[in-house]
Amino acid sequence: MEENKCNAEGSSQCSGDCSSCSSAHKEQVDFTEKLNDKSHVKHVIGVVSGKGGVGKSMVAAMLAVLLNRKGYKVGIMDADITGPSIPKMFGINKRAVSTPDGVLPEETANGIKIMSINLLLDQPDAPVVWRGPVIGGAVKQFWTDVVWGDLDYMFIDMPPGTGDVPLTVYQSIPIDGVVIVTSPQDLVSLIVKKAYNMAVMMNIPVIGIVENMSYVKCPDCGIELNIFGESHISEICNELQVMVLGKMPIDPQLSSLCDDGKFERNNADYLFGAADLIESALS
Ligand code: ADP
């Protein structure tokens, strides 16, 4: 890690806790960790949400699959340490192999590289009962100690919320931009603005917002039902001046493919526009 000495350090202003420091001096401290020597990652995209369970992993996986289908080398870092779901979605249940160069990611059927805490635990169903700094340390090691090789795009399935662990990830990994995932209710309850404001505070560009669980399509008549209320994505994106990346319905085909570990077989087109946009914004 590059050490930049903070001017406030040692003065009466300094509490020793840079994360809560309001001094302009903290901007001089660079917490970015060094990527593993055997890896080269061109673009890093964080997939974030203001709270858990809104489909952040689903969107991270979908975008990774779409960029992989375009012919890019893609990886997914599952930084949702307490609720890892990426390996299961892709049917990966092996343990990651350690080498002198670092830990090797596992690969999906179509060659997406994956690293997740579930690939390192003896029992994948064991709860991760770790304090924030330990969880943050594990995510940092996914960056420093995993042999990702050459990647065009790395998607980080970020820890949910705006607490200690996402803060560590934002500070330690050079993220090029974030995709915010919300549900229609989050858009109303302003949870999405917390995720947006955190990215802005960390000086990370917001690529856009995906509204997940936006509606359900009736299999008989095709009518779209807004079971979580009317969509507000356009007005919020307008207000925040960010792109609408897409709306995903609750789609039983997607959840059953996740449950069966066959997510790469999905033929959903909901995020085609989002994948194109990421490709053109970060090429
Ligand atoms: P998060 O990463 O935000 O915690 P997940 O992506 O793990 O959320 O999604 C939570 C659950 O909801 C999972 O079981 C997932 O398969 C399901 N799910 C998410 N989005 C959809 C969707 N659009 N259609 C159907 N099921 C979904």
Side-chain angles (χ1 to χ4, degrees):
M1 189 175 100
E2 200 177 314
E3 289 258 356
N4 286 339
K5 197 162 166 52
C6 172
N7 295 339
E9 197 182 311
S11 76
S12 55
Q13 301 169 316
C14 180
S15 68
D17 176 8
C18 297
S19 66
S20 62
C21 179
S22 61
S23 159
H25 298 124
K26 71 175 178 178
E27 283 162 19
Q28 297 175 14
V29 182
D30 182 0
F31 293 101
T32 314
E33 296 283 337
K34 191 173 165 294
L35 179 64
N36 171 269
D37 282 342
K38 302 282 172 189
S39 307
H40 180 248
V41 179
K42 281 194 196 149
H43 303 292
V44 182
I45 298 136
V47 182
V48 307
S49 63
K51 68 177 190 342
V54 295
K56 178 175 51 60
S57 307
M58 172 77 82
V59 169
M62 182 76 86
L63 291 172
V65 166
L66 294 176
L67 269 303
N68 173 254
R69 283 186 194 153
K70 283 173 180 276
Y72 293 107
K73 295 185 198 119
V74 177
I76 308 177
M77 180 197 288
D78 186 358
D80 192 350
I81 301 285
T82 53
S85 45
I86 296 290
K88 171 131 187 28
M89 294 170 80
F90 291 93
I92 294 176
N93 44 30
K94 284 190 237 158
R95 288 204 61 192
V97 175
S98 212
T99 72
D101 290 326
V103 182
L104 303 180
E106 285 298 327
E107 279 193 33
T108 67
N110 294 339
I112 298 174
K113 292 183 179 171
I114 306 268
M115 181 45 67
S116 167
I117 198 73
N118 264 8
L119 306 181
L120 303 172
L121 297 173
D122 286 333
Q123 281 175 279
D125 58 356
V128 175
V129 190
W130 296 347
R131 299 211 184 260
V134 181
I135 299 178
V139 179
K140 283 188 208 168
Q141 284 186 282
F142 285 177
W143 181 250
T144 56
D145 297 358
V146 172
V147 186
W148 291 100
D150 281 337
L151 290 185
D152 296 308
Y153 295 97
M154 173 188 283
F155 289 91
I156 305 186
D157 184 2
M158 294 276 283
T162 53
D164 186 25
V165 184
L167 177 64
T168 304
V169 181
Y170 272 126
Q171 289 182 322
S172 326
I173 300 178
I175 297 174
D176 294 294
V178 295
V179 169
I180 301 176
V181 183
T182 73
S183 69
Q185 285 167 321
D186 285 1
L187 287 164
V188 177
S189 67
L190 306 184
I191 289 176
V192 66
K193 286 195 181 163
K194 292 183 194 287
Y196 170 84
N197 285 327
M198 183 169 192
V200 171
M201 277 169 67
M202 305 307 297
N203 289 321
I204 312 279
V206 175
I207 299 171
I209 301 179
V210 174
E211 185 181 73
N212 189 30
M213 307 187 187
S214 200
Y215 57 93
V216 176
K217 200 167 196 168
C218 171
D220 294 327
C221 66
I223 196 167
E224 291 179 4
L225 301 164
N226 299 323
I227 55 170
F228 292 127
E230 288 295 316
S231 173
H232 292 273
I233 189 165
S234 301
E235 59 195 75
I236 299 276
C237 285
N238 225 351
E239 184 188 332
L240 301 177
Q241 295 286 295
V242 296
M243 301 284 295
V244 178
L245 289 181
K247 290 199 224 174
M248 297 229 300
I250 296 179
D251 180 343
Q253 182 225 14
L254 291 180
S255 42
S256 80
L257 285 171
C258 287
D259 293 346
D260 295 345
K262 294 176 179 154
F263 187 71
E264 279 176 312
R265 295 194 191 170
N266 85 75
N267 53 14
D269 59 1
Y270 314 122
L271 297 186
F272 278 9
D276 289 347
L277 203 134
I278 289 171
E279 183 186 25
S280 57
L282 302 172
S283 55

